Amino acid sequence: MNTLPTPQILEPFGLFPLSALLRMLVRKSHHTPSPTSGTLLHQQNSLTLTDTSIFKELLSPQTRSEYFLHGYSGLYALSFSLRHTITQGAALLHMYGTNGSTCREHQELSALFDLDVPQQLRELQGLFRELTRGDLLPVLSFSALGCHLSWQKNGMCRAYDPYHNTCCSSTTAADSPFCHVHQPCAWWNMPQDMADAQTIMFAFYGWKEHLFAYTEEQLREEVGKFWHRIGMQQRIAPHLDDGALEVLQIESREALSALGPKGLRRHFLRLARRTHPDNGGDHESFLRLQQAYGSALAFLHAPSP
């Protein structure tokens, strides 16, 4: 079985420094209206950046080309590295939002990300402050739609649902970023039996070793299982905009549902052959197609009640 390509080209960690991602978020957030700080369980004025936009801004054209030439494996390596960085940033923002939290959590996160958490919090404090809006503290997350930046009132639970774009309305438990109900969201030190979709994703992308955990064939299978599990937990259909359908050349959500996961996969492969850089396509179009496929797959695996 062919494993994911390793060493030289597929050692992507470090391509997305957290400080660079935060600076990008600071710039982009200047154009996002400040969220209302009244009721806390509400639709947020959040900022979403697609993987495409982050790749384009933080990676050189040469680096993008090198990874895209590896097709699915190269794109997966880039996406995994970006989500690993977002996961690190989300955890550090939780620590920042609870005055550093506990020494135990510092030790666990330091070991996980191979960094000195207190020092990292000091170095990034200026950027964290730039992302703060009065008593509203930044919350970082991701989904198939991209990287999400939202805000939560100081002292309130930092659990955030990127698909519904809502945050929890409860106060935090002692020495924790989360309320009593959302304690499983502390994915770095809790069993994940009761975790939500976002927590499961953080737990997977938090460990670098997961990048090389599968062969490419196994990876494709696991991605399908993952979205099915997320859909069954959420019991909702994630947001799927018309732009994704247009990229996939599918007329409507009804037509997508008629295709089903297997039909969508065959349709995607036909389009991928035409847009792949090896066949004369361009990297940005190929990446948009990959992201649209991920959003459509999430939609199919998350049926409404």
Side-chain angles (χ1 to χ4, degrees):
M1 300 177 71
N2 294 325
T3 58
L4 292 174
T6 50
Q8 298 82 16
I9 194 67
L10 291 189
E11 278 294 348
F13 302 107
L15 290 176
F16 303 99
L18 180 55
S19 58
L21 177 62
L22 291 173
R23 281 193 291 270
M24 182 179 179
L25 289 168
V26 167
R27 291 195 302 274
K28 302 294 185 181
S29 66
H30 288 161
H31 306 291
T32 304
S34 294
T36 306
S37 60
T39 170
L40 269 299
L41 184 60
H42 66 292
Q43 288 283 318
Q44 295 283 299
N45 287 325
S46 61
L47 169 68
T48 298
L49 300 178
T50 65
D51 287 1
T52 307
S53 64
I54 298 174
F55 290 173
K56 197 166 186 177
E57 183 152 339
L58 299 187
L59 298 177
S60 69
Q62 180 181 354
T63 299
R64 295 201 304 270
S65 296
E66 288 175 349
Y67 278 84
F68 291 158
L69 286 174
H70 283 270
Y72 190 90
S73 297
L75 178 61
Y76 174 65
L78 288 180
S79 297
F80 190 104
S81 176
L82 175 58
R83 280 156 176 70
H84 180 79
T85 296
I86 296 171
T87 299
Q88 177 184 329
L92 290 172
L93 278 170
H94 289 330
M95 301 299 102
Y96 172 76
T98 50
N99 296 317
S101 202
T102 66
C103 290
R104 175 189 169 190
E105 287 172 321
H106 282 185
Q107 292 170 353
E108 289 166 342
L109 290 172
S110 293
L112 174 63
F113 293 115
D114 191 26
L115 54 81
D116 184 329
V117 166
Q119 179 181 341
Q120 192 79 348
L121 286 171
R122 288 192 296 272
E123 292 177 354
L124 296 173
Q125 189 175 51
L127 289 169
F128 289 169
R129 285 176 176 168
E130 287 191 68
L131 290 171
T132 300
R133 297 182 170 185
D135 64 346
L136 297 171
L137 302 175
V139 179
L140 196 59
S141 60
F142 65 84
S143 71
L145 307 178
C147 173
H148 306 281
L149 174 66
S150 188
W151 290 267
Q152 174 64 300
K153 193 171 183 180
N154 190 16
M156 305 301 289
C157 176
R158 294 175 58 77
Y160 172 73
D161 178 351
Y163 283 114
H164 283 116
N165 193 25
T166 55
C167 52
C168 179
S169 59
S170 301
T171 56
T172 57
D175 296 321
S176 173
F178 306 106
C179 66
H180 290 289
V181 172
H182 286 111
Q183 283 303 301
C185 290
W187 56 268
W188 53 87
N189 62 12
M190 293 288 289
Q192 304 305 313
D193 294 342
M194 301 298 293
D196 60 11
Q198 180 72 103
T199 304
I200 293 170
M201 295 168 81
F202 278 144
F204 179 79
Y205 288 103
W207 276 267
K208 291 182 179 180
E209 293 76 12
H210 286 165
L211 173 60
F212 304 112
Y214 304 104
T215 65
E216 185 157 0
E217 180 180 344
Q218 290 170 331
L219 172 62
R220 294 179 191 276
E221 183 179 349
E222 288 300 317
V223 167
K225 289 180 181 177
F226 170 79
W227 286 119
H228 179 71
R229 184 168 67 251
I230 297 305
M232 295 307 291
Q233 284 186 350
Q234 298 282 53
R235 294 291 182 183
I236 61 166
H239 173 71
L240 180 68
D241 60 33
D242 293 335
L245 292 174
E246 184 178 350
V247 169
L248 289 166
Q249 299 177 26
I250 296 175
E251 292 183 356
S252 64
R253 288 165 180 77
E254 291 74 22
L256 172 61
S257 297
L259 275 176
K262 290 185 178 179
L264 174 63
R265 176 69 183 162
R266 290 192 293 270
H267 179 71
F268 163 73
L269 288 175
R270 284 195 294 271
L271 295 177
R273 279 193 286 270
R274 296 203 299 266
T275 58
H276 195 283
D278 287 351
N279 295 325
D282 65 273
H283 299 136
E284 282 72 21
S285 296
F286 183 65
L287 185 57
R288 283 195 296 272
L289 178 64
Q290 289 273 8
Q291 291 177 327
Y293 172 64
S295 297
L297 196 60
F299 178 87
L300 289 176
H301 280 307
S304 300

